Structures are given as C-alpha cells and as structure tokens.
Amino acid sequence: RASALVAEIVLCVKEPNRKTRTAAYELIVALGAPAAGAADAAAAYAPLADLTAAVLAGVAAGSPRLASASVMALARLLHAYPGPLAGDGARLLPALLPLLRTKSREAVKAALGFCKVAASRLPADALVPHLRDLLHALLAWSDDPKNKFRLRVRLVVERLVRRLGADAVAAAMPPGDARLMAHIRKQASRRDRRRAGGGEDESEDGDGDGARTVRTARTARTGRTGKSAWAPTALFSEGGDARRTGAASARG
C-alpha cells in the first residue's frame, strides 16, 4: 500500500499543472527528510533510504511514464540529499543507465536529466567507478539523428570534466568520441584565458537547472551567485534544450 502511494506521488511530477508538479517534488523531498531525534545517522536517514528504494522500484516498472517519473523523483532526491545518497551512487547509476539504451525517448530524457544532477551532486569518488559505463551510455546519444539529446549529452560530459578532470574523462571515453573531448578542451582553454585576462567568465553554476550564468571575474572571486535552486523544466523539458542550443551554437 505504501509503495502504491509513493508511485502515485511520483507520477504527479509529470502532471501538466505546474503547481501540482511543484507540490509533488516538495512532498518527495519532505518524505525523505531526516528523522528527528534519531540515535545516529543511519537511523536519521532511514526514511530517505526506504523512500529511495520505493522510488527506484518504479524504474523497473513496465510503464515508460512511471519509469521516467521515478527517475525524475530520484534526481530531485539526489539534488536535495547528495551526502546521504552518495553511498547509493553505486546502486542508482547502474540501475538507471540501462534506460539510456531503451527506445523510449521519454525515459531517455529523464535519465539524461538525472545524469546531469549526478555529475554535479555525487562526490567524485562515487562517480569514478561508473565513469566508463556512464560515458558509453551517454555518448550513444551524442549523434542523435533527431538532434534532441546531443546538447544534453555534451553538457553532462562538460560537467564531468569540471568535476573529475579532462584526463580522467578522456581516458574513459569511447575512442570514437575523441572529437567531442577535443572541443571541450578547447572551450575550457578559452575560459581559462578569459579568467587570466580578468574578463567575463562564463561558468555553469548549480546542479540541475541547466541555466548558464555569466559571471564577472569579481563575482567569481566573491562567490555571490550562491547555490542554484531546483529547476526541473530546464532539466527535463524540450524547451530547456531549445534555449540552450542557440547559446551553444553561438559559442561554437
């Protein structure tokens, strides 16, 4: 009965009504909140562990709608609780990466959004063991003939480079994708030159919102931009891609 209730809440993240989606995400975060007065960390985060397991069960459901909604809910939990869920990186990524090999574009879109959050929020040591599998699954969509997921893939790879270093990512990439890695290195070199010159530094702040914030060198030094909020529209909607594609094309 509890798992059925969780499934109903999870499905609400795909409702057309924005207020309903927002309320569903907020409820999911609240259900995973640490238990008050717990004796230790394990007891405090027991509700989160139980909730994560229940949501993860929906990924294996036969319905692409429930599977994609479950991935979106897991992305929200990871964004809210990256520390407690760090140990689940070994469980979450292997469970979700197979969705990138399915024919359901709905499920693939959700999985790409989760990967972006994971690339930002999971600790580096939780990402490294899965880096090769993650890149091989992601880069299968780098030449998407419908051109919907190509930019999403590149953004995740760029974020992995910033977190883990270009050499580590390049070593784990399929040989056929060396051109993408060369492009990312070139863009990083341009950013470094802008920083050294004291000019504007374009850097992607935050963890799941997909919004690129242009920061001046002074802002970068003072750190005034703060932590980004959860923004699922940019993560999971086609519109988020469209807005970013123009900017990315302009930068070459």
Side-chain angles (χ1 to χ4, degrees):
R1 184 176 299 176
S3 59
L5 178 59
V6 169
E8 289 299 318
I9 296 170
V10 166
L11 282 170
C12 287
V13 305
K14 295 184 73 73
E15 284 293 313
N17 184 276
R18 181 178 179 178
K19 289 184 178 179
T20 301
R21 296 196 306 270
T22 300
Y25 279 124
E26 289 176 351
L27 181 54
I28 288 166
V29 172
L31 290 173
D40 52 35
Y45 287 104
L48 177 61
D50 292 343
L51 177 61
T52 301
V55 177
L56 192 57
V59 175
S63 162
R65 182 174 178 81
L66 179 56
S68 60
S70 298
V71 174
M72 293 161 72
L74 288 169
R76 182 65 186 102
L77 287 171
L78 181 58
H79 187 274
Y81 304 111
L85 287 180
D88 279 325
R91 183 165 55 127
L92 293 177
L93 283 172
L96 301 187
L97 290 183
L99 292 179
L100 292 173
R101 300 183 177 92
T102 67
K103 294 181 179 180
S104 169
R105 295 181 71 86
E106 181 181 15
V108 170
K109 184 167 61 176
L112 288 173
F114 177 88
C115 288
K116 188 174 181 184
V117 176
S120 296
R121 305 295 275 179
L122 281 176
D125 57 0
L127 286 168
V128 169
H130 307 286
L131 183 57
R132 185 173 298 274
D133 290 340
L134 174 58
L135 287 170
H136 280 245
L138 283 171
L139 292 167
W141 292 97
S142 62
D143 293 322
D144 177 30
K146 295 187 178 180
N147 202 27
K148 293 291 186 182
F149 298 147
R150 188 179 302 173
L151 179 63
R152 292 174 186 261
V153 169
R154 197 180 82 185
L155 293 175
V156 176
V157 176
E158 287 176 345
R159 190 158 291 192
L160 288 169
V161 168
R162 287 196 293 275
R163 293 289 311 285
L164 306 177
D167 291 341
V169 174
M173 288 180 77
D177 291 287
R179 185 177 177 183
L180 173 61
M181 196 65 229
H183 173 77
I184 291 173
R185 287 182 187 272
K186 183 177 179 181
Q187 296 289 50
S189 178
R190 287 178 179 175
R191 285 194 295 270
D192 290 342
R193 288 197 299 269
R194 280 196 295 268
R195 285 195 202 100
E200 287 188 343
D201 171 22
E202 286 188 8
S203 62
E204 191 172 340
D205 289 333
D207 309 296
D209 58 1
R212 186 173 294 273
T213 303
V214 177
R215 302 187 298 166
T216 63
R218 178 183 178 187
T219 305
R221 287 193 299 271
T222 58
R224 291 180 183 174
T225 52
K227 183 178 176 180
S228 74
W230 171 253
T233 300
L235 268 178
F236 302 117
S237 75
E238 299 292 351
D241 274 350
R243 286 190 296 271
R244 295 298 304 275
T245 301
S249 299
R251 289 190 297 272

